[in-house]
Coordinates of all heavy atoms in Angstrom, one line a residue:
M1 N 107.1 95.9 106.8 CA 108.0 97.0 106.3 C 108.9 97.6 107.4 O 108.5 97.9 108.5 CB 107.0 98.1 105.8 CG 107.7 99.3 105.1 SD 106.5 100.3 104.5 CE 107.4 101.9 104.5
L2 N 110.0 97.9 107.1 CA 111.0 98.5 107.9 C 110.8 99.9 108.1 O 110.8 100.7 107.1 CB 112.4 98.2 107.4 CG 112.8 96.7 107.3 CD1 114.2 96.5 106.7 CD2 112.8 96.0 108.7
I3 N 110.7 100.4 109.3 CA 110.5 101.8 109.5 C 111.6 102.7 109.4 O 111.7 103.8 108.8 CB 109.7 101.9 110.9 CG1 108.4 101.3 110.9 CG2 109.6 103.5 111.2 CD1 107.6 101.4 112.2
H4 N 112.8 102.2 110.1 CA 114.0 103.1 110.1 C 114.6 103.4 108.7 O 115.0 104.6 108.5 CB 115.1 102.4 111.0 CG 114.5 102.4 112.4 ND1 114.5 103.5 113.2 CD2 114.2 101.3 113.2 CE1 114.0 103.2 114.4 NE2 113.8 101.9 114.5
P5 N 114.7 102.5 107.8 CA 115.2 102.9 106.4 C 114.3 103.9 105.8 O 114.9 104.8 105.2 CB 115.2 101.6 105.7 CG 115.4 100.5 106.6 CD 114.6 101.1 107.9
T6 N 113.1 103.7 105.9 CA 112.1 104.7 105.3 C 112.3 106.1 106.0 O 112.3 107.1 105.3 CB 110.7 104.3 105.6 OG1 110.5 102.9 105.0 CG2 109.7 105.2 104.9
L7 N 112.3 106.2 107.3 CA 112.6 107.4 107.9 C 114.0 108.0 107.5 O 114.1 109.3 107.4 CB 112.5 107.2 109.5 CG 111.2 106.8 110.0 CD1 111.3 106.6 111.5 CD2 110.2 108.0 109.7
D8 N 114.9 107.2 107.4 CA 116.3 107.7 106.9 C 116.2 108.3 105.6 O 116.8 109.3 105.3 CB 117.3 106.6 107.0 CG 117.7 106.1 108.5 OD1 117.4 107.0 109.3 OD2 118.2 105.0 108.5
Q9 N 115.5 107.6 104.7 CA 115.3 108.2 103.3 C 114.6 109.5 103.3 O 114.9 110.5 102.6 CB 114.6 107.1 102.4 CG 115.5 106.0 102.1 CD 114.8 105.0 101.1 OE1 113.5 104.9 101.1 NE2 115.5 104.3 100.4
M10 N 113.5 109.6 104.1 CA 112.8 110.8 104.2 C 113.7 112.0 104.7 O 113.6 113.1 104.2 CB 111.6 110.7 105.1 CG 110.4 109.8 104.6 SD 109.0 109.8 105.7 CE 108.0 108.8 104.9
Q11 N 114.5 111.7 105.8 CA 115.4 112.7 106.3 C 116.4 113.1 105.2 O 116.8 114.3 105.1 CB 116.0 112.2 107.5 CG 115.2 112.0 108.6 CD 114.7 113.3 109.3 OE1 115.2 114.4 109.0 NE2 113.7 113.2 110.1
A12 N 117.0 112.1 104.5 CA 118.0 112.4 103.5 C 117.4 113.2 102.2 O 118.1 114.0 101.7 CB 118.5 111.1 102.9
L13 N 116.1 113.1 102.0 CA 115.4 113.9 101.0 C 114.9 115.2 101.4 O 114.4 116.0 100.7 CB 114.3 113.1 100.4 CG 114.6 111.8 99.6 CD1 113.4 111.0 99.2 CD2 115.4 112.2 98.3
G14 N 115.1 115.5 102.7 CA 114.7 116.8 103.3 C 113.2 116.8 103.6 O 112.6 117.9 103.6
L15 N 112.7 115.7 103.9 CA 111.2 115.6 104.2 C 111.0 115.3 105.7 O 110.4 114.3 106.1 CB 110.6 114.5 103.3 CG 110.8 114.6 101.9 CD1 110.2 113.4 101.2 CD2 109.9 115.8 101.4
A16 N 111.6 116.2 106.5 CA 111.5 116.0 108.0 C 110.0 116.0 108.5 O 109.7 115.2 109.4 CB 112.3 117.0 108.7
G17 N 109.2 116.8 108.0 CA 107.8 116.9 108.3 C 107.1 115.6 108.0 O 106.2 115.1 108.9
M18 N 107.4 115.0 106.9 CA 106.7 113.7 106.6 C 107.2 112.7 107.5 O 106.5 111.8 107.9 CB 107.0 113.4 105.1 CG 106.2 114.2 104.1 SD 106.5 113.7 102.5 CE 105.6 112.1 102.4
A19 N 108.5 112.7 107.8 CA 109.0 111.7 108.8 C 108.4 111.8 110.2 O 108.1 110.8 110.7 CB 110.5 111.8 108.9
D20 N 108.2 113.0 110.6 CA 107.6 113.3 112.0 C 106.1 112.7 111.9 O 105.7 112.0 112.9 CB 107.7 114.7 112.3 CG 109.0 115.1 112.7 OD1 109.9 114.3 113.0 OD2 109.3 116.4 112.6
A21 N 105.5 113.1 110.8 CA 104.0 112.6 110.7 C 104.0 111.1 110.6 O 103.0 110.5 111.2 CB 103.4 113.3 109.5
Y22 N 105.0 110.5 109.9 CA 104.9 109.1 109.8 C 105.0 108.4 111.1 O 104.3 107.5 111.4 CB 106.0 108.6 108.8 CG 106.0 107.1 108.6 CD1 105.2 106.6 107.6 CD2 106.9 106.3 109.2 CE1 105.2 105.3 107.3 CE2 107.0 105.0 109.0 CZ 106.1 104.5 108.0 OH 106.1 103.1 107.7
L23 N 105.9 108.9 111.9 CA 106.2 108.4 113.3 C 105.0 108.5 114.2 O 104.6 107.6 114.8 CB 107.3 109.0 113.9 CG 108.7 108.5 113.5 CD1 109.8 109.4 114.3 CD2 108.9 107.1 114.0
Q24 N 104.4 109.7 114.2 CA 103.1 110.0 115.0 C 102.1 109.1 114.5 O 101.3 108.6 115.4 CB 102.9 111.4 114.9 CG 103.7 112.2 115.8 CD 103.3 113.7 115.8 OE1 102.3 114.1 115.1 NE2 104.0 114.5 116.6
L25 N 101.8 109.0 113.2 CA 100.7 108.1 112.7 C 100.9 106.6 113.0 O 100.0 106.0 113.4 CB 100.6 108.2 111.2 CG 100.0 109.6 110.7 CD1 100.0 109.6 109.2 CD2 98.5 109.6 111.1
A26 N 102.1 106.2 112.9 CA 102.5 104.8 113.3 C 102.3 104.4 114.7 O 102.0 103.2 115.0 CB 103.9 104.4 112.8
E27 N 102.4 105.3 115.5 CA 102.3 105.1 117.0 C 100.8 105.1 117.4 O 100.5 104.6 118.5 CB 103.0 106.2 117.8 CG 104.5 106.0 117.7 CD 105.3 107.2 118.4 OE1 104.6 108.1 118.8 OE2 106.5 107.1 118.4
Q28 N 99.9 105.6 116.6 CA 98.6 105.7 117.0 C 97.9 104.4 116.9 O 98.1 103.6 116.0 CB 97.8 106.8 116.1 CG 98.2 108.2 116.5 CD 97.4 109.1 115.5 OE1 96.5 108.7 114.8 NE2 97.7 110.4 115.7
D29 N 97.0 104.1 117.8 CA 96.2 102.8 117.8 C 95.3 102.7 116.6 O 95.1 101.6 116.1 CB 95.4 102.7 119.1 CG 96.3 102.6 120.3 OD1 97.4 102.1 120.2 OD2 95.8 102.9 121.4
N30 N 94.7 103.8 116.2 CA 93.7 103.8 115.1 C 94.4 104.0 113.7 O 93.6 104.3 112.7 CB 92.6 104.7 115.3 CG 93.1 106.2 115.4 OD1 94.2 106.4 115.4 ND2 92.2 107.0 115.5
A31 N 95.7 103.8 113.6 CA 96.4 104.0 112.4 C 95.9 103.1 111.3 O 96.0 103.4 110.1 CB 97.8 103.8 112.6
T32 N 95.5 101.8 111.7 CA 95.1 100.9 110.6 C 93.8 101.2 110.0 O 93.4 100.7 109.0 CB 95.0 99.4 111.2 OG1 94.2 99.5 112.4 CG2 96.4 99.0 111.7
D33 N 93.0 102.2 110.7 CA 91.8 102.5 110.1 C 91.9 103.5 109.0 O 91.0 103.7 108.1 CB 90.9 103.3 111.2 CG 90.6 102.4 112.3 OD1 90.6 101.1 112.2 OD2 90.2 102.9 113.5
L34 N 93.1 104.1 108.8 CA 93.3 105.1 107.8 C 93.8 104.3 106.5 O 94.6 103.4 106.6 CB 94.4 106.1 108.2 CG 94.0 107.0 109.3 CD1 95.2 107.8 109.8 CD2 92.8 107.9 109.1
S35 N 93.4 104.8 105.4 CA 93.8 104.3 104.1 C 95.1 104.9 103.7 O 95.7 105.8 104.4 CB 92.8 104.6 103.0 OG 92.8 106.0 102.7
R36 N 95.9 104.3 102.7 CA 97.1 104.8 102.3 C 97.1 106.2 101.9 O 97.9 107.0 102.1 CB 97.7 103.9 101.2 CG 98.3 102.6 101.7 CD 98.8 101.8 100.5 NE 97.7 101.2 99.7 CZ 97.8 100.7 98.5 NH1 99.0 100.7 98.0 NH2 96.8 100.2 97.9
D37 N 95.9 106.5 101.1 CA 95.8 107.9 100.7 C 95.6 108.9 101.8 O 96.1 110.0 101.8 CB 94.6 108.0 99.7 CG 94.7 107.2 98.5 OD1 96.0 107.1 98.0 OD2 93.7 106.8 97.9
E38 N 94.9 108.5 102.9 CA 94.8 109.4 104.0 C 96.1 109.6 104.7 O 96.4 110.7 105.2 CB 93.8 108.7 105.0 CG 92.3 108.8 104.5 CD 91.4 108.1 105.4 OE1 91.8 107.0 106.0 OE2 90.1 108.5 105.4
W39 N 96.9 108.5 104.8 CA 98.3 108.5 105.4 C 99.1 109.5 104.6 O 99.7 110.4 105.2 CB 98.9 107.2 105.4 CG 98.7 106.3 106.6 CD1 97.6 105.9 107.0 CD2 99.7 105.9 107.6 NE1 97.7 105.1 108.1 CE2 99.1 105.2 108.5 CE3 101.1 106.2 107.7 CZ2 99.7 104.6 109.6 CZ3 101.7 105.6 108.7 CH2 101.1 104.8 109.7
R40 N 99.2 109.3 103.3 CA 99.9 110.1 102.4 C 99.4 111.6 102.5 O 100.3 112.5 102.6 CB 99.8 109.7 101.0 CG 100.7 110.4 100.0 CD 100.6 109.8 98.6 NE 100.6 108.4 98.5 CZ 99.7 107.6 98.1 NH1 98.6 108.2 97.7 NH2 99.8 106.3 98.1
G41 N 98.2 111.8 102.5 CA 97.7 113.2 102.7 C 98.0 113.9 103.9 O 98.4 115.1 104.0
L42 N 97.9 113.2 105.0 CA 98.3 113.7 106.3 C 99.9 114.0 106.4 O 100.3 115.1 106.9 CB 98.0 112.8 107.5 CG 96.5 112.7 107.8 CD1 96.2 111.5 108.8 CD2 95.9 114.0 108.3
M43 N 100.7 113.1 105.8 CA 102.1 113.4 105.8 C 102.5 114.6 104.9 O 103.3 115.4 105.3 CB 102.8 112.1 105.3 CG 102.7 111.0 106.4 SD 103.6 109.4 106.1 CE 104.1 109.5 104.4
L44 N 101.8 114.7 103.8 CA 102.1 115.8 102.8 C 101.6 117.2 103.5 O 102.3 118.2 103.3 CB 101.4 115.6 101.5 CG 102.1 114.5 100.6 CD1 101.2 114.3 99.4 CD2 103.5 115.0 100.2
Y45 N 100.5 117.1 104.2 CA 100.1 118.2 104.8 C 101.0 118.7 105.9 O 101.4 119.9 106.0 CB 98.7 118.1 105.5 CG 98.2 119.2 106.3 CD1 97.6 120.4 105.7 CD2 98.3 119.2 107.7 CE1 97.1 121.4 106.4 CE2 97.8 120.3 108.4 CZ 97.3 121.4 107.8 OH 96.9 122.4 108.5
R46 N 101.5 117.8 106.7 CA 102.5 118.1 107.7 C 103.8 118.8 107.1 O 104.3 119.7 107.7 CB 102.9 116.9 108.6 CG 103.9 117.1 109.6 CD 103.4 117.8 110.8 NE 102.4 117.2 111.5 CZ 102.5 116.3 112.4 NH1 103.8 115.9 112.8 NH2 101.4 115.8 113.0
E47 N 104.3 118.1 106.0 CA 105.5 118.6 105.4 C 105.2 120.1 104.8 O 106.1 120.9 105.1 CB 105.8 117.7 104.2 CG 107.2 118.1 103.5 CD 108.4 118.0 104.4 OE1 108.5 117.2 105.2 OE2 109.3 118.9 104.1
A48 N 104.1 120.3 104.2 CA 103.9 121.6 103.7 C 103.8 122.7 104.9 O 104.2 123.8 104.8 CB 102.5 121.6 102.9
A49 N 103.1 122.3 106.0 CA 103.0 123.2 107.1 C 104.3 123.4 107.7 O 104.5 124.6 108.1 CB 102.0 122.5 108.1
M50 N 105.2 122.4 107.8 CA 106.5 122.7 108.4 C 107.3 123.6 107.6 O 108.1 124.5 108.0 CB 107.2 121.4 108.7 CG 106.8 120.6 109.9 SD 107.7 119.2 110.3 CE 109.3 119.9 110.9
R51 N 107.1 123.4 106.3 CA 108.0 124.3 105.3 C 107.4 125.7 105.4 O 108.3 126.7 105.2 CB 107.8 123.8 103.9 CG 108.8 122.5 103.8 CD 108.7 122.1 102.3 NE 109.5 120.8 102.1 CZ 110.0 120.5 101.0 NH1 110.0 121.1 99.9 NH2 110.7 119.2 101.0
A52 N 106.2 125.9 105.5 CA 105.6 127.2 105.5 C 106.0 127.9 106.9 O 106.3 129.1 106.9 CB 104.1 127.1 105.4
D53 N 106.0 127.2 108.0 CA 106.5 127.7 109.2 C 108.0 128.1 109.1 O 108.3 129.1 109.7 CB 106.2 126.7 110.4 CG 104.8 126.5 110.7 OD1 103.9 127.4 110.3 OD2 104.5 125.5 111.4
R54 N 108.7 127.2 108.5 CA 110.1 127.5 108.4 C 110.4 128.8 107.5 O 111.2 129.6 107.8 CB 110.9 126.3 107.9 CG 112.4 126.4 108.0 CD 113.1 125.2 107.5 NE 112.4 123.9 107.8 CZ 112.1 123.0 106.9 NH1 112.4 123.2 105.5 NH2 111.4 121.9 107.2
R55 N 109.6 128.9 106.5 CA 109.7 130.1 105.5 C 109.4 131.3 106.3 O 110.1 132.4 106.2 CB 108.8 129.7 104.4 CG 109.1 130.7 103.2 CD 108.2 130.4 102.0 NE 108.2 128.9 101.7 CZ 107.1 128.2 101.6 NH1 106.0 128.7 101.9 NH2 107.2 127.0 101.3
L56 N 108.3 131.3 107.1 CA 107.9 132.5 107.8 C 108.9 132.8 108.8 O 109.3 134.0 109.1 CB 106.5 132.3 108.5 CG 106.0 133.4 109.3 CD1 105.8 134.6 108.5 CD2 104.8 133.0 110.1
T57 N 109.5 131.9 109.5 CA 110.6 132.2 110.6 C 111.8 132.8 109.9 O 112.2 133.7 110.5 CB 110.9 130.8 111.3 OG1 109.7 130.2 111.9 CG2 111.9 131.2 112.3
N58 N 112.1 132.2 108.8 CA 113.3 132.8 108.2 C 113.1 134.2 107.7 O 113.9 135.1 107.8 CB 113.8 131.9 106.9 CG 114.3 130.7 107.4 OD1 114.9 130.5 108.5 ND2 114.3 129.6 106.5
R59 N 111.9 134.5 107.1 CA 111.6 135.8 106.7 C 111.5 136.8 107.8 O 111.9 138.0 107.7 CB 110.2 135.8 105.9 CG 110.4 135.2 104.6 CD 109.1 135.1 103.8 NE 109.3 134.6 102.4 CZ 108.3 134.2 101.6 NH1 107.1 134.4 102.0 NH2 108.5 133.7 100.5
L60 N 110.9 136.4 108.9 CA 110.8 137.3 110.1 C 112.3 137.6 110.7 O 112.6 138.6 111.0 CB 110.0 136.7 111.2 CG 108.5 136.7 110.9 CD1 107.8 135.9 112.0 CD2 108.0 138.1 110.9
A61 N 113.2 136.6 110.6 CA 114.6 136.8 111.1 C 115.3 137.7 110.1 O 116.1 138.6 110.6 CB 115.2 135.4 111.2
T62 N 115.1 137.6 108.8 CA 115.7 138.4 107.8 C 115.2 139.8 107.9 O 115.9 140.8 107.7 CB 115.4 137.8 106.4 OG1 115.9 136.6 106.4 CG2 116.2 138.7 105.3
A63 N 113.9 140.0 108.2 CA 113.4 141.3 108.4 C 114.0 142.3 109.4 O 113.9 143.5 109.3 CB 111.8 141.3 108.5
K64 N 114.5 141.7 110.5 CA 115.1 142.4 111.6 C 114.2 143.4 112.1 O 114.4 144.6 112.1 CB 116.4 142.9 111.2 CG 117.5 141.9 110.8 CD 118.7 142.5 110.5 CE 119.7 141.3 110.1 NZ 120.9 141.9 109.5
L65 N 113.0 143.1 112.5 CA 111.9 144.0 112.9 C 112.4 144.7 114.2 O 113.0 144.0 115.1 CB 110.6 143.3 113.1 CG 110.0 142.6 111.8 CD1 108.8 141.8 112.2 CD2 109.7 143.7 110.8
R66 N 112.0 145.9 114.3 CA 112.4 146.7 115.6 C 111.6 146.2 116.8 O 112.1 146.0 117.9 CB 112.2 148.2 115.4 CG 113.3 148.9 114.8 CD 113.1 150.4 114.6 NE 112.5 151.1 115.7 CZ 112.0 152.3 115.8 NH1 111.9 152.9 114.6 NH2 111.5 152.8 116.9
F67 N 110.3 146.0 116.5 CA 109.4 145.6 117.6 C 108.9 144.2 117.3 O 107.8 144.1 116.7 CB 108.3 146.6 117.8 CG 108.7 148.0 118.0 CD1 108.6 149.0 117.1 CD2 109.3 148.3 119.3 CE1 109.1 150.2 117.3 CE2 109.7 149.7 119.5 CZ 109.6 150.6 118.6
V68 N 109.5 143.1 117.7 CA 109.2 141.8 117.3 C 107.9 141.4 118.0 O 107.1 140.7 117.3 CB 110.3 140.9 117.9 CG1 110.0 139.4 117.4 CG2 111.6 141.3 117.1
D69 N 107.6 141.9 119.2 CA 106.3 141.5 119.9 C 105.2 142.3 119.6 O 104.1 142.3 120.2 CB 106.6 141.4 121.3 CG 107.6 140.3 121.7 OD1 107.7 139.2 120.9 OD2 108.3 140.4 122.7
A70 N 105.3 143.3 118.7 CA 104.2 144.3 118.4 C 103.0 143.6 117.8 O 103.2 142.6 117.0 CB 104.7 145.3 117.5
C71 N 101.9 144.1 118.2 CA 100.6 143.6 117.6 C 99.6 144.8 117.6 O 99.7 145.6 118.5 CB 100.1 142.4 118.3 SG 99.6 142.6 120.0
I72 N 98.6 144.6 116.8 CA 97.7 145.7 116.6 C 96.7 145.9 117.9 O 96.4 147.0 118.1 CB 96.7 145.4 115.3 CG1 96.0 146.6 114.9 CG2 95.8 144.3 115.6 CD1 96.8 147.7 114.4
E73 N 96.6 144.9 118.6 CA 95.8 145.1 119.9 C 96.5 146.0 120.9 O 95.8 146.6 121.7 CB 95.5 143.7 120.5 CG 94.6 142.9 119.7 CD 95.3 142.1 118.6 OE1 96.5 142.0 118.6 OE2 94.6 141.5 117.7
D74 N 97.8 146.2 120.8 CA 98.6 146.9 121.7 C 98.6 148.5 121.4 O 99.1 149.2 122.1 CB 100.0 146.5 121.9 CG 100.0 145.0 122.5 OD1 99.1 144.7 123.3 OD2 101.0 144.3 122.3
V75 N 98.1 148.8 120.2 CA 98.1 150.2 119.8 C 97.1 151.0 120.6 O 95.9 150.6 120.7 CB 97.9 150.3 118.3 CG1 97.8 151.8 117.9 CG2 99.0 149.5 117.5
D76 N 97.6 152.1 121.1 CA 96.7 153.0 121.9 C 96.3 154.2 121.0 O 97.0 155.1 120.8 CB 97.4 153.5 123.2 CG 96.5 154.3 124.0 OD1 95.2 154.3 123.8 OD2 97.0 155.0 124.9
F77 N 95.1 154.0 120.4 CA 94.7 155.1 119.6 C 94.1 156.3 120.2 O 94.0 157.4 119.6 CB 93.5 154.5 118.6 CG 94.0 153.5 117.7 CD1 93.7 152.1 117.9 CD2 94.7 153.8 116.5 CE1 94.2 151.2 117.0 CE2 95.2 152.9 115.7 CZ 94.9 151.5 115.9
A78 N 93.8 156.3 121.5 CA 93.3 157.3 122.4 C 94.4 158.3 122.8 O 94.1 159.4 123.1 CB 92.5 156.8 123.6
S79 N 95.6 157.9 122.8 CA 96.6 158.8 123.2 C 96.9 159.9 122.3 O 96.7 159.8 121.1 CB 98.0 158.1 123.4 OG 98.5 157.6 122.2
Q80 N 97.2 161.1 122.8 CA 97.5 162.4 122.0 C 98.9 162.3 121.5 O 100.0 161.9 122.2 CB 97.3 163.5 122.9 CG 95.9 163.7 123.4 CD 94.9 164.0 122.3 OE1 95.2 164.7 121.3 NE2 93.7 163.3 122.4
R81 N 99.1 162.8 120.3 CA 100.4 162.9 119.7 C 101.1 164.2 120.2 O 100.3 165.2 120.3 CB 100.4 162.9 118.2 CG 100.0 161.6 117.7 CD 100.1 161.5 116.2 NE 99.7 160.2 115.7 CZ 100.1 159.7 114.6 NH1 100.8 160.4 113.9 NH2 99.7 158.4 114.3
P82 N 102.3 164.2 120.3 CA 103.0 165.5 120.8 C 103.1 166.5 119.7 O 103.0 166.4 118.6 CB 104.4 165.0 121.1 CG 104.6 163.7 120.6 CD 103.3 163.2 120.3

């Protein structure tokens, strides 16, 4: 099977996560131990994770938060209010 046309089709369809997962799986030595269903599942998982990450990144950029690095651990509850 030709790898490059498959990767080109994945990129053209907007499946960059699947293409990355396919490349990483193909480079592993134990890739032949996985079944087709396992390959497909891993590739779909990677695509879904990349889309979720991209969606979160876009939403955070759109929110234009004042304190981007703020976290609950940094809140000082002991300080007195003026």
